Amino acid sequence: MSFLVCLAALFFLMFVAYRGFSVILFAPVAAIGAVLLTDPAAVPVIFSGLFMEKMVGFIKLYFPVFLLGAVFGKLIELSGFSRSIVSAVVKLLGPARAIISIVLVGALLTYGGVSLFVVVFAVYPFGAEMFRQVGIPKRLLPAVVALGAFSFTMDTLPGTPQIQNIIPTTFFHTTAYAAPILGVVGTLFILVCGISYLEFRRRQARRAGEGYGTGHSNEVELDESVPLVSPLLALLPLVVVGVANLIFAQLIPGWFGPTASATLVEGAPAVSVPTNTWAAIWAVEAALLLGILTVAVFGFRAIAGRFAAGSKDAVGGALLAGLNTATEYGFGAVIAALPGFLVIKAALTAIPNPLVNEAITVTTLAGITGSASGGLSIALAAMSEQFIAQAQAHGIPLEVMHRVAAMASGGMDTLPHNGAVITLLAVTGLTHRQSYGDIFAITLIKTMAVFFVIAFYYLTGLY
């Protein structure tokens, strides 16, 4: 019965998300409904002590990133920099390569350390502009952004600084560059299959006479009066964000040490936070501030008269995206605390092959919680010792276990209730009904890549 309660809550949330209902409203309904069926007396405690704690904790950590990312993306739009980038890319690569251009821009940003949530805000303005110029249906844009930001640079490409590639280092005592050959092989698989699928969908739409479409929400504003700047200048803010993020991520831990403390009034108790928790977030926030300043300086004339209205739109978008994702985080925490979740974890341990066991366990838990990092953390916290023992018994290097675990976390995590998916659709102004089918195709390709890499390892022994 407890197992069915978990599944019912999961499928209910996926259903309402797909039907276009607000996840901010229905994520707590699904979570508390599951608790009500398990132990009615626990509802108020779990709601206030777990759901709200996790939700507020997520906002505390990440809302400034959402806000700064939204402002950065809006300024890229208002300044005309997005139009310049699009025009330059179309001239350089041609309209036929619009999709791969957007994928590569998203990949460069995420591999540079920019949060995938920030990449959504930054890439959308010129992605939408490019799709409009070359006549590709806007409904395909979320899947294109997902391929560039949510897939191979999130957890597959060796050295990526995204959290999904960092979490396994704690459990397996590896580095971010673990199993580089498998990482490159997996990246090529995802890129080739993903681009092939998206190009097939583009050609299919063109044969049907479908263009960009009309009546879309959250459209990018076009102001033809704003002159096009040099594409190198237009790219400068993106480069500033990526490079500054890398630099600050290295410098901040050295500046503050293990604990960051500050006192505003002499003799008052110091305010302290653990640096390792906040360093990466501070680095992204500082990088985004520099990116915003860069756009403001070089695009001041275009932005000045429209900043007030544009900033309101950005704040509204950040609030919606942040709350959507935060409620998903709270939902995942409640589901992970239910007895039925323990049944699911226990059932997964019966798979004999270590790599297949790890891959299925991690991607299943990521799918249930709607979070790649959440599912990965839960799986490794509960089962890493078992995975290590199995790997040692079968002579499998822990670097391989690291790469498979990281890749699996980004497999089935992007189900309809996933926070990043909901954020992506909210930012692009599209619905699950319009765009989720193509996002799910990328999800399937990403999941298949994990098992392709496992097969490659067993066939070649290379890692």
Side-chain angles (χ1 to χ4, degrees):
M1 178 63 182
S2 58
F3 171 72
L4 295 177
V5 167
C6 280
L7 290 184
L10 175 65
F11 285 116
F12 171 75
L13 188 58
M14 287 194 292
F15 173 76
V16 296
Y18 190 83
R19 296 287 294 179
F21 293 98
S22 172
V23 174
I24 297 172
L25 174 63
F26 281 100
V29 170
I32 298 310
V35 176
L36 185 66
L37 292 173
T38 303
D39 182 1
V43 167
V45 176
I46 296 298
F47 177 72
S48 299
L50 184 58
F51 181 88
M52 290 303 298
E53 285 287 338
K54 292 296 183 180
M55 177 181 167
V56 172
F58 183 92
I59 293 171
K60 173 185 173 182
L61 285 169
Y62 298 112
F63 180 70
V65 176
F66 278 84
L67 180 61
L68 292 172
V71 172
F72 178 67
K74 193 66 178 179
L75 292 185
I76 288 286
E77 172 195 328
L78 296 178
S79 63
F81 285 13
S82 62
R83 287 178 54 232
S84 298
I85 293 170
V86 170
S87 298
V89 171
V90 170
K91 288 178 183 177
L92 181 64
L93 299 178
R97 296 183 177 86
I99 287 175
I100 193 169
S101 300
I102 296 169
V103 169
L104 292 178
V105 170
L108 285 170
L109 287 172
T110 47
Y111 194 68
V114 179
S115 165
L116 58 90
F117 292 105
V118 175
V119 171
V120 171
F121 288 108
V123 171
Y124 170 60
F126 62 85
E129 175 75 2
M130 178 176 285
F131 271 38
R132 181 189 289 108
Q133 286 191 19
V134 300
I136 300 174
K138 185 183 180 183
R139 61 181 175 80
L140 295 179
L141 183 56
V144 175
V145 176
L147 178 61
F150 299 178
S151 62
F152 58 96
T153 51
M154 186 176 84
D155 53 41
T156 306
L157 199 59
T160 176
Q162 299 297 324
I163 191 65
Q164 292 81 4
N165 189 43
I166 304 303
I167 291 172
T169 62
T170 304
F171 296 92
F172 297 127
H173 304 293
T174 49
T175 71
Y177 291 89
I181 295 175
L182 295 183
V184 171
V185 168
T187 295
L188 292 175
F189 179 93
I190 295 165
L191 258 180
V192 171
C193 294
I195 293 294
S196 299
Y197 170 80
L198 292 170
E199 289 291 347
F200 163 75
R201 294 287 285 156
R202 180 185 66 82
R203 291 191 299 269
Q204 192 179 49
R206 185 179 61 187
R207 286 194 298 269
E210 182 182 0
Y212 180 77
T214 58
H216 295 302
S217 301
N218 198 25
E219 278 291 79
V220 176
E221 295 180 12
L222 287 176
D223 188 350
E224 300 293 344
S225 66
V226 178
L228 294 179
V229 301
S230 162
L232 293 179
L233 177 60
L235 282 170
L236 180 62
L238 300 179
V239 175
V240 167
V241 171
V243 173
N245 185 41
L246 286 173
I247 294 173
F248 282 123
Q250 297 295 320
L251 295 180
I252 287 174
W255 288 343
F256 291 102
T259 303
S261 301
T263 305
L264 296 178
V265 178
E266 188 175 350
V271 177
S272 300
V273 294
T275 304
N276 61 351
T277 300
W278 290 95
I281 297 171
W282 288 343
V284 172
E285 291 168 354
L288 284 170
L289 283 171
L290 287 179
I292 289 169
L293 289 173
T294 304
V295 183
V297 169
F298 291 101
F300 179 79
R301 299 177 96 182
I303 294 168
R306 298 185 294 161
F307 178 73
S311 62
K312 289 179 182 178
D313 292 339
V315 170
L319 283 168
L320 179 61
L323 283 176
N324 272 328
T325 310
T327 54
E328 283 288 343
Y329 198 72
F331 169 81
V334 172
I335 295 301
L338 294 173
F341 194 76
L342 299 177
V343 175
I344 296 170
K345 286 199 297 184
L348 293 171
T349 62
I351 302 170
N353 184 281
L355 294 177
V356 175
N357 182 3
E358 181 184 49
I360 292 176
T361 298
V362 171
T363 202
T364 299
L365 298 185
I368 290 171
T369 59
S371 167
S373 58
L376 180 61
S377 297
I378 292 168
L380 294 184
M383 302 174 66
S384 61
E385 292 184 5
Q386 174 188 322
F387 291 152
I388 292 171
Q390 287 181 331
Q392 291 172 341
H394 288 77
I396 299 172
L398 294 184
E399 287 84 357
V400 178
M401 300 295 288
H402 169 128
R403 186 57 51 209
V404 168
M407 289 182 65
S409 73
M412 295 305 293
D413 67 312
T414 43
L415 292 176
H417 63 300
N418 172 264
V421 169
I422 291 169
T423 297
L424 175 59
L425 293 175
V427 170
T428 56
L430 293 162
T431 66
H432 280 78
R433 191 184 293 268
Q434 290 172 303
S435 297
Y436 183 72
D438 294 305
I439 295 174
F440 186 65
I442 302 302
T443 295
L444 293 178
I445 290 169
K446 182 65 172 59
T447 304
M448 288 189 295
V450 183
F451 298 97
F452 179 82
V453 162
I454 293 173
F456 178 86
Y457 169 72
Y458 280 123
L459 287 172
T460 67
L462 299 175
Y463 64 92

